[in-house]
Amino acid sequence: MEKRTFKNTIYAAIAGMTKAFSSPNRLEIIDLLANGEKTVEQIATQTAITVANASQHLQVLKTARLVRSRREGTFIFYSLNGLKSYAAWKALRDLAQEQEPAVQVTLQRFRQALGSPVQELRERLGELPRDKTIIAYCRGPFCTYADEAVQLLHANGFKALRLEESYLDIQLDYN
Amino acid sequence: MEKRTFKNTIYAAIAGMTKAFSSPNRLEIIDLLANGEKTVEQIATQTAITVANASQHLQVLKTARLVRSRREGTFIFYSLNGLKSYAAWKALRDLAQEQEPAVQVTLQRFRQALGSPVQELRERLGELPRDKTIIAYCRGPFCTYADEAVQLLHANGFKALRLEESYLDIQLDYN
DNA sequence: TCATTATTCAATAATTTGCTTGAATACTTG
DNA sequence: CAAGTATTCAAGCAAATTATTGAATAATGA
């Protein structure tokens, strides 16, 4: 086989896999699945797309071996397939956060624009210990709730930190 | 701004950057540039595409901030823009090597199919020291010459190793 | 078996992407 | 300034990608 043919095959195969990453909806799905397995309908609801469209994207991700599925009754649960899939998503995200002004700016605004659902936390502040540091966790760096929680906790005199990494990040550290 | 709008903006921005990675030709260009800066024509020649097409791809990569350029006389030299660009490419490559059978198989064949240009090395074997270990280096894991060289050196009783990482990998270790 | 529910499939239209060709720009050197 | 060379631009066409719609599968439970 010609050297050029080898190269063409390899780069085409990698690009094929990479294409699965290059759609906003699929990235959001990957980001969701980094938090644990989900059904098609959950994914559709949380990403605000139709079920058929979510299913379609999931097929693309599955063909590229980025996600896997298991059946449980009438439900099919999807999850990320392996740590390297997550590692690649993380590398792309880090890169974009460093180099894409749109991401930097929006993310900052996103985290400042305090919203709502720290409501329960506010109501149950009394149940939290004051002698310990509280770690606020929230899936991925694109979820704002951890930030809101930390701000609320600080305002009320608690020691609190935001956990920057998702659970898959923590696993990555051990490999 | 609506939470959904935030998310749409962020994922779209990341996907925009990711799209720059998802073309075989552009991946090969990135792989080339991981070895150091190159002119448009060098890139076109080494990737076996036309100059206009290479230029076009380079514009895409530049818009996505994955490469940068500098002018020197009539030449414009392109190079990778930052370690994170390289890190992302490496993550994608690792993922594909692990999960894409086509990549695994082809890469293996590629490295076995000994070719030619270790010719000069063969002719100048006498100039090499026999009391030291020789490290064969070759840009990225997708270049075969290092493998051929190691095989030749072993066959002639030298101590030799293949350096798996490119020079950018080595830099990554220090950050 | 039949109705129900979760998921996938299939067809379509709109948009985007990739490569080619030939012309235009930008810098250098005589 | 003129000629030469490296690079980019612009137009055009073929191919791939996306979301939508409505129908088809597949498992569950009565």
Side-chain angles (χ1 to χ4, degrees):
Chain A
M1 202 194 274
E2 197 63 52
K3 186 156 291 181
R4 173 60 27 211
T5 315
F6 274 120
K7 291 192 178 178
N8 287 346
T9 306
I10 290 178
Y11 290 112
I14 304 181
M17 169 165 267
T18 304
K19 277 204 177 86
F21 280 103
S22 61
S23 139
N25 283 334
R26 287 199 291 271
L27 286 182
E28 187 169 2
I29 291 174
I30 290 170
D31 200 21
L32 258 183
L33 295 183
N35 194 40
E37 62 177 13
K38 299 238 179 335
T39 67
V40 179
E41 205 191 348
Q42 289 177 315
I43 292 166
T45 304
Q46 296 186 37
T47 57
I49 61 180
T50 65
V51 170
N53 197 10
S55 175
Q56 218 170 168
H57 282 304
L58 284 165
Q59 295 317 305
V60 174
L61 290 171
K62 201 174 169 184
T63 302
R65 280 170 244 263
L66 301 187
V67 310
R68 58 165 169 260
S69 62
R70 71 179 180 88
R71 171 152 229 150
E72 190 177 312
T74 55
F75 294 93
I76 292 181
F77 287 88
Y78 282 89
S79 55
L80 281 195
N81 185 24
L83 284 182
K84 288 206 170 156
S85 301
Y86 180 74
W89 156 237
K90 184 163 148 53
L92 290 170
R93 201 180 60 186
D94 286 351
L95 175 60
Q97 267 187 74
E98 185 180 79
Q99 307 226 341
E100 269 285 349
V103 173
Q104 293 171 351
V105 170
T106 310
L107 203 50
Q108 203 171 2
R109 273 201 220 150
F110 193 18
R111 288 183 173 163
Q112 281 171 356
L114 292 187
S116 42
V118 192
Q119 208 49 44
E120 183 179 357
L121 178 65
R122 177 174 287 119
E123 290 161 5
R124 298 176 60 187
L125 277 178
E127 304 173 32
L128 293 174
R130 292 200 166 265
D131 58 332
K132 294 186 174 152
T133 297
I134 296 161
I135 308 289
Y137 159 82
C138 178
R139 73 169 186 74
F142 294 127
C143 180
T144 59
Y145 301 146
D147 291 302
E148 303 177 25
V150 167
Q151 187 163 334
L152 174 68
L153 288 165
H154 281 166
N156 286 272
F158 289 91
K159 283 172 288 185
L161 288 176
R162 172 196 162 88
L163 181 64
E164 284 291 339
E165 320 286 345
S166 89
Y167 84 100
L168 279 172
D169 282 300
I170 295 167
Q171 283 185 41
L172 273 185
D173 289 341
Y174 291 117
N175 94 42
Chain B
M1 202 195 274
E2 197 63 53
K3 186 156 292 181
R4 174 56 31 210
T5 315
F6 274 120
K7 290 193 178 177
N8 287 346
T9 306
I10 289 178
Y11 290 113
I14 304 181
M17 169 164 266
T18 304
K19 278 203 176 85
F21 280 103
S22 61
S23 139
N25 283 334
R26 286 199 291 272
L27 286 183
E28 187 168 2
I29 290 174
I30 290 170
D31 200 20
L32 258 184
L33 295 183
N35 194 39
E37 61 177 14
K38 299 239 178 334
T39 67
V40 178
E41 206 191 348
Q42 288 178 314
I43 292 166
T45 304
Q46 297 186 36
T47 58
I49 61 180
T50 65
V51 170
N53 195 10
S55 174
Q56 219 170 168
H57 282 305
L58 285 165
Q59 295 316 305
V60 174
L61 291 170
K62 200 175 170 184
T63 302
R65 281 170 243 265
L66 301 186
V67 309
R68 58 165 168 261
S69 62
R70 73 181 179 86
R71 171 152 231 149
E72 190 178 312
T74 55
F75 294 95
I76 293 182
F77 287 88
Y78 282 89
S79 56
L80 280 196
N81 186 24
L83 283 181
K84 288 206 169 154
S85 301
Y86 180 75
W89 155 237
K90 185 164 147 55
L92 291 169
R93 203 180 60 186
D94 285 352
L95 176 60
Q97 268 189 71
E98 186 180 78
Q99 308 225 339
E100 270 286 348
V103 174
Q104 294 171 351
V105 171
T106 310
L107 203 49
Q108 203 171 3
R109 273 200 220 148
F110 194 16
R111 289 184 173 164
Q112 282 172 355
L114 293 188
S116 42
V118 193
Q119 207 50 43
E120 182 179 356
L121 177 65
R122 176 173 288 119
E123 291 160 6
R124 298 176 60 188
L125 277 179
E127 303 173 32
L128 294 173
R130 293 198 165 266
D131 58 332
K132 294 185 175 155
T133 296
I134 296 160
I135 307 288
Y137 160 82
C138 177
R139 73 168 187 75
F142 294 128
C143 179
T144 60
Y145 300 146
D147 291 301
E148 303 178 23
V150 167
Q151 189 162 335
L152 173 67
L153 289 165
H154 281 166
N156 286 273
F158 290 91
K159 281 173 287 183
L161 288 176
R162 172 197 162 88
L163 181 64
E164 283 291 340
E165 321 286 344
S166 88
Y167 83 100
L168 277 172
D169 281 303
I170 295 168
Q171 282 186 38
L172 272 185
D173 289 341
Y174 291 117
N175 92 43

